[in-house]
């Protein structure tokens, strides 16, 4: 009697997203849930949120070099960041609201809990809001943020990064990620970046320098696409982790 073949082992799919608990990132030890996660009730998941449109934005909301200007230009290296927001099948997501926030060129946030002794910039808040167009594209004009100390471990410095928050059309639809810059030596020492288990996933958080996006004599250009799901998904984080 021929013995039936055993079923082939199913491959274990690794997630590109960082775990809730990653001990080298010391804040995650306190923030990580200690009980099993519960599914969101249908009543909340089906609750429609606001429909975003051009009327919710000011003309200069996408440009941090202008949207907080008081009496001069903000200090630092000007940059333009462009990219596409795509779904898991690579299709453009139109009319999505993206918010960004970041430190200034000296590595300091406009936030009451930021105790870094670097100077604040009176013409810069580091926040922007923008909508994707019909091709799923967005554009951010800003200042390249500086690195800053953050106390996670001895001599800990966070690499230069920009936070991206993408909103959907429902109450529960929001994802948060970070964009880094190519060639930053601090990436090798950063537990938030290194906490992403998939090497390819980590690479998707690094923007690409793009000479075609530079504005001659004014700003350097970078490209950063955001993919929501699928094998090429951009790693996302717990929205409460805002370092």
């Amino acid at each position: 009697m021929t013995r039936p073949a055993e079923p082939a082992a199913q491959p274990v799919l690794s997630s590109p997203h960082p775990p809730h608990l990653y001990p080298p990132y010391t804040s995650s030890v306190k923030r990580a849930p200690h009980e099993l996660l519960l599914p969101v009730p249908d009543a909340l998941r089906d609750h429609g949120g606001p429909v975003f449109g051009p009327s919710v934005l000011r003309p200069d909301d996408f440009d941090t070099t202008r949207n907080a200007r008081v009496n001069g230009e903000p200090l630092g290296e000007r940059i333009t960041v462009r990219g596409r927001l795509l779904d898991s099948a690579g299709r453009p997501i139109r009319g999505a609201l993206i918010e960004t926030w970041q430190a200034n060129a000296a590595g300091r946030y406009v936030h009451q809990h930021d105790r870094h002794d670097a100077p604040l910039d009176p013409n810069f808040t580091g926040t922007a809001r923008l909508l994707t167009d019909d091709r799923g594209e967005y554009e951010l004009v800003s200042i390249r943020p500086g690195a800053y100390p953050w106390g996670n471990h001895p001599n800990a410095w966070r690499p230069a990064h920009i936070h991206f928050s993408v909103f959907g059309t429902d109450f529960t639809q929001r994802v948060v990620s970070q964009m880094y810059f190519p060639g930053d030596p601090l990436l090798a020492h950063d537990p938030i970046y290194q906490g992403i288990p998939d090497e390819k996933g980590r690479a998707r958080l690094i923007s690409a320098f793009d000479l075609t996006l530079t504005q001659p004599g004014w700003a350097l250009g970078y490209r950063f696409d955001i993919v929501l799901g699928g094998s090429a998904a951009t790693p996302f984080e717990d929205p409460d982790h805002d370092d």
Side-chain angles (χ1 to χ4, degrees):
M1 180 175 174
T2 304
R3 187 175 182 180
E6 294 184 0
Q10 296 297 313
V12 177
L13 299 179
S14 63
S15 170
H17 309 300
H20 290 288
L21 176 61
Y22 183 66
Y25 177 17
T26 57
S27 295
S28 73
V29 176
K30 294 182 178 180
R31 293 171 172 172
H34 298 285
E35 303 292 340
L36 292 177
L37 300 181
L38 299 176
V40 175
D42 289 340
L44 286 178
R45 186 165 56 244
D46 296 336
H47 180 73
V51 177
F52 303 111
S55 62
V56 305
L57 301 180
R58 299 177 303 174
D60 60 358
D61 272 356
F62 76 101
D63 185 347
T64 69
T65 70
R66 292 189 299 163
N67 63 24
R69 187 184 300 178
V70 177
N71 56 8
E73 295 276 349
L75 300 175
E77 177 186 307
R78 292 182 290 253
I79 60 173
T80 296
V81 181
R82 290 185 190 171
R84 300 184 71 192
L85 180 64
L86 306 170
D87 67 14
S88 59
R91 296 170 298 206
I93 299 177
R94 305 173 179 87
L97 176 67
I98 299 176
E99 293 184 345
T100 68
W101 66 96
Q102 63 174 89
N104 65 19
R108 186 170 177 183
Y109 287 95
V110 181
H111 194 283
Q112 60 182 348
H113 295 305
D114 190 336
R115 296 292 183 260
H116 186 19
D117 62 359
L120 289 171
D121 188 331
N123 296 298
F124 184 81
T125 63
T127 59
R129 306 175 78 228
L130 43 127
L131 290 175
T132 58
D133 64 16
D134 287 342
R135 299 186 65 250
E137 294 186 341
Y138 71 87
E139 179 181 31
L140 167 69
V141 177
S142 194
I143 297 294
R144 178 165 175 153
Y148 58 83
W150 64 303
N152 182 79
H153 53 274
N155 198 23
W157 290 80
R158 289 242 54 218
H161 62 280
I162 299 175
H163 296 268
F164 278 74
S165 175
V166 181
F167 292 86
T169 58
D170 292 334
F171 178 74
T172 58
Q173 293 180 339
R174 181 193 179 210
V175 293
V176 178
S177 191
Q178 298 184 21
M179 184 201 88
Y180 300 96
F181 292 85
D184 192 328
L186 290 173
L187 289 173
H189 307 281
D190 184 62
I192 295 181
Y193 175 78
Q194 294 295 333
I196 299 168
D198 178 50
E199 183 177 354
K200 292 182 179 179
R202 291 196 293 270
R204 294 185 200 116
L205 294 183
I206 301 177
S207 59
F209 174 73
D210 190 335
L211 188 64
T212 67
L213 298 182
T214 62
Q215 298 184 41
W218 197 82
L220 295 180
Y222 295 87
R223 185 166 294 279
F224 182 63
D225 293 339
I226 302 172
V227 182
L228 306 181
S231 60
T234 301
F236 299 115
E237 63 192 53
D238 184 335
D240 292 331
H241 291 189
D242 55 2
D243 294 290

